[in-house]
Amino acid sequence: MRVLVTGGAGFIGSHVVEALTARGHEAIVFDVRADPAADVRDPAAVGQALAGVDAVCHQAAMVGLGKGFEDAAEYVSRNDLGTAVLLAGMAEAGVRRLVLAGSMVVYGEGRYACPRDGVVRPGPRAVTDLDAGRFEPRCPVCGAALAPGLVGEDAPADPRNVYATTKLAQEHLAAAWARSAGGSAVSLRYHNVYGPRMPRDTPYAGVASFFRSALARGAAPRVFEDGRQRRDFVHVRDVAAANAVALEAGSAPGVLTAYNTGSGEPHTVGEMARALADAHGGPAPVVTGEYRLGDVRHITADSSRLRAELGWKPEVGFAEGMREFAALG
């Protein structure tokens, strides 16, 4: 296939390009980093890029929590307007296959079970609780302690910040395109992706990058809350392979199919910080008790649907991946 990869010069996109090329496909990079004119919000540039293309792998996005709500308009412009322009161009060009870089942030908090009330969905954590160091959500019905579990793709969406809201909007736009154009649309809901070429030292970088940058300076990684937040850290090469597999398989026309894309091995943020510090030989992490509004406590999802339906499985284990990431400096 001839595949247009938006954001193809970026962190995940560049690995997708490599994975597609290795599997015999022709990957066309569309990225403002490679060409300032390659803005996914520009209908003319998008239309030209789509000529002769069989499928699109849409990685271009503004990521992370940013600096505050003042970033909202830029997130909506880059993520949602950009996706709308791209999909309109695909409809006009007759390109009917799309894989979208989705995100597990659309779920908000993860899945929780109360011993009395069963599966419940706690609301956003109160500032008073966070200030007091009470980080675990409580049962919204009886106030009891909750046990976190794995989220399935059919769980209700509950985005908790601007970035998460734009990622959900991208899925809705892609679903509307699929219905209107008879297209095949897949959203890969990435977990916490890390690995080579990860952005660093910006407000939009991931937590693994912040920790690695601190270690490279000889400083201790600073871990928010109590370090017991559960996440699924998945290597970028595994995410790139998932994109290639999803592009090759396609999906039923007229609908969007979502797949959780994670390693299947939940770890706490504190465990990740310690693994990086040990691999780097740097100072031990410092647990600060600080927090960021909009962060969720636990979010780990069940990726078995992707494995069962598309035959994908992650190849890079947590310990191996952290050793490699720490060695990048």
Side-chain angles (χ1 to χ4, degrees):
M1 286 187 294
R2 194 167 191 259
V3 182
L4 182 69
V5 183
T6 70
F11 167 43
I12 298 175
S14 63
H15 287 274
V16 171
V17 168
E18 291 177 356
L20 290 170
T21 301
R23 297 167 79 99
H25 302 292
E26 181 184 2
I28 310 301
V29 173
F30 187 82
D31 194 310
V32 292
R33 291 181 277 276
D35 179 358
D39 189 331
V40 75
R41 296 168 294 183
D42 181 346
V46 168
Q48 184 176 1
L50 286 168
V53 162
D54 302 304
V56 173
C57 186
H58 185 30
Q59 305 294 318
M62 186 174 179
V63 301
L65 284 180
K67 296 174 286 189
F69 200 83
E70 58 267 28
D71 285 336
E74 191 70 10
Y75 272 108
V76 171
S77 175
R78 292 184 181 274
N79 295 357
D80 298 338
L81 175 60
T83 298
V85 170
L86 174 67
L87 293 171
M90 292 174 64
E92 183 174 353
V95 180
R96 296 290 182 262
R97 183 170 294 194
L98 170 73
V99 171
L100 172 69
S103 176
M104 53 81 187
V105 296
V106 300
Y107 297 119
E109 282 286 356
R111 184 180 189 274
Y112 292 88
C114 171
R116 194 195 80 171
D117 297 300
V119 175
V120 295
R121 292 184 64 80
R125 296 177 292 171
V127 171
T128 52
D129 286 335
L130 295 170
D131 285 341
R134 296 187 294 267
F135 301 119
E136 292 289 344
R138 311 290 291 189
C139 177
V141 180
C142 70
L146 299 173
L150 300 179
V151 181
E153 288 91 347
D154 297 329
D158 185 17
R160 298 288 177 91
N161 54 60
V162 171
Y163 170 64
T165 302
T166 65
K167 296 308 290 183
L168 182 58
Q170 284 184 304
E171 289 194 352
H172 288 323
L173 287 165
W177 164 81
R179 287 191 296 272
S180 174
S184 163
V186 170
S187 177
L188 298 177
R189 291 176 175 169
Y190 301 160
H191 280 259
N192 291 71
V193 186
Y194 73 97
R197 302 173 214 149
M198 189 175 191
R200 57 192 301 170
D201 302 328
T202 81
Y204 311 96
V207 64
S209 183
F210 287 137
F211 291 165
R212 187 188 64 179
S213 294
L215 290 164
R217 298 191 305 267
R222 294 176 58 81
V223 180
F224 280 11
E225 302 189 15
D226 58 4
R228 296 176 185 170
Q229 313 93 296
R230 287 163 55 89
R231 299 289 188 270
D232 186 326
F233 300 99
V234 59
H235 197 277
V236 66
R237 289 196 296 272
D238 287 328
V239 168
N243 276 273
V245 168
L247 280 164
E248 291 169 349
S251 66
V255 296
L256 178 138
T257 304
Y259 292 104
N260 292 327
T261 308
S263 72
E265 299 180 15
H267 291 273
T268 68
V269 173
E271 287 174 335
M272 188 265 285
R274 287 192 295 274
L276 281 177
D278 290 345
H280 193 276
V286 174
V287 177
T288 67
E290 299 171 357
Y291 64 87
R292 295 193 305 179
L293 284 176
D295 276 353
V296 297
R297 178 61 174 175
H298 304 296
I299 177 64
T300 55
D302 183 355
S303 300
S304 60
R305 178 186 290 180
L306 179 58
R307 299 179 188 219
E309 294 186 7
L310 301 189
W312 170 88
K313 65 177 182 177
E315 302 290 344
V316 183
F318 179 77
E320 174 193 353
M322 290 299 158
R323 285 194 300 269
E324 178 200 59
F325 191 58
L328 296 173

